[in-house]
Amino acid sequence: MKITHSIAEYNAIHSALQRPAAPRLAFVPTMGALHEGHRSLIKLARSLGDVVVASIFVNPLQFGPHEDLARYPRDLPRDRKLAEAREVDCLFVPDAAAMYPAEPLARVVPGPVADTLEGMARPGHFTGVLTVVAKLFHIVEPDVAVFGRKDFQQAMLVKQMVRDLDFGVSIDIVPTVRELDGLALSSRNSYLNPDERRSALVLSRALRTIEQTWRGGEADPVKVQRAGLEAMHSPGVIPEYCALVDENVQPVTRVTAHTIGVVAARVGKTRLLDNVVLGEGIGADPRVTP
Ligand code: AMP
């Protein structure tokens, strides 16, 4: 596996890869502290591309001033081993100076979908996300890029950007990988102490409640949402939102099998999010193998 911190060096690796025949390049952008969720993205990328490039970049542009940029978990030696074991061909690990030698003035501003849910909780977040994804797509030049359903709104906005700005990259989405007890894997789970780890189960529990309420015959989104919010009430947990939306992140007027339940909560100081497609249920999501 090649590893590079420099855009120029990546370009040289990319040019060499083009000979003798241009391979199909599959790309997995991440912020590192890799876990089984990332592994499943890499696994899909491996099956989609002749060459797999993964990136690790903790993008300052998508963090608010009071968020966890400085303490975001970083462990390159471990990430490197994991990427190598999953047969990543090239690991691109630029630092902030390489990506933003000067304050970026041109940015990708998403549409109104970015003002709801995560976008409302984290103003400017999705502008930061789309700007870095656009830059990474220009540098890496993938044919296909793989994202996780775990960040459902992000995946949807990336798809929208690719369509609206004619990126010529196809986007594949991987189901959320969970712990055996239902907690969605996240690099931020490492912030949780044992009590908080237990409390964090309220998110997947709320998604199950939403699903069960709908399966019990309730199609009114207000009532299903209320059930979800009630399930999130727990000591040490501050629910942020619980919403029922369609695949375009628009609120639904009637809950169906295609409706997506999205939740976010603060557990101690850690913000966690999760979602479920009601007709599929979180029971269908892959679990980490012990
Ligand atoms: P991150 O490193 O958290 O920015 O995530 C990089 C990619 O991995 C994003 O496309 C995420 O949606 C995806 N991802 C994160 N957690 C999971 C998970 N538990 N299951 C599947 N994909 C995930």
Side-chain angles (χ1 to χ4, degrees), residues 145 278 286:
L278 266 60

Side-chain angles (χ1 to χ4, degrees), residues 28-41 55-57 62 72 146-152 154-155 172-179 183-189 274 286:
V28 180
T30 81
M31 297 207 299
L34 301 180
H35 51 64
E36 293 285 328
H38 298 113
R39 266 177 65 165
S40 99
L41 269 64
S55 65
I56 295 177
F57 181 57
Q62 71 189 65
Y72 194 85
V146 184
F147 288 81
R149 244 222 97 73
K150 157 88 175 19
D151 299 281
F152 152 71
Q154 164 178 287
D172 266 67
I173 309 293
V174 165
T176 301
V177 180
R178 299 176 180 281
E179 301 277 6
L183 180 68
L185 294 194
S186 162
S187 305
R188 290 189 168 98
N189 290 352
D274 204 347

Side-chain angles (χ1 to χ4, degrees), residues 237-258:
V237 176
I238 303 171
E240 285 204 353
Y241 59 76
C242 168
L244 292 144
V245 297
D246 63 19
E247 73 266 21
N248 297 314
V249 203
Q250 299 303 311
V252 295
T253 51
R254 202 182 149 69
V255 181
T256 72
H258 302 292

Side-chain angles (χ1 to χ4, degrees), residues 141-183:
E141 296 187 42
D143 297 291
V144 54
V146 184
F147 288 81
R149 244 222 97 73
K150 157 88 175 19
D151 299 281
F152 152 71
Q153 194 177 4
Q154 164 178 287
M156 194 265 158
L157 284 164
V158 168
K159 277 187 172 174
Q160 220 167 62
M161 174 183 80
V162 161
R163 188 197 60 206
D164 292 350
L165 302 182
D166 299 300
F167 265 83
V169 179
S170 60
I171 305 296
D172 266 67
I173 309 293
V174 165
T176 301
V177 180
R178 299 176 180 281
E179 301 277 6
L180 290 176
D181 61 8
L183 180 68

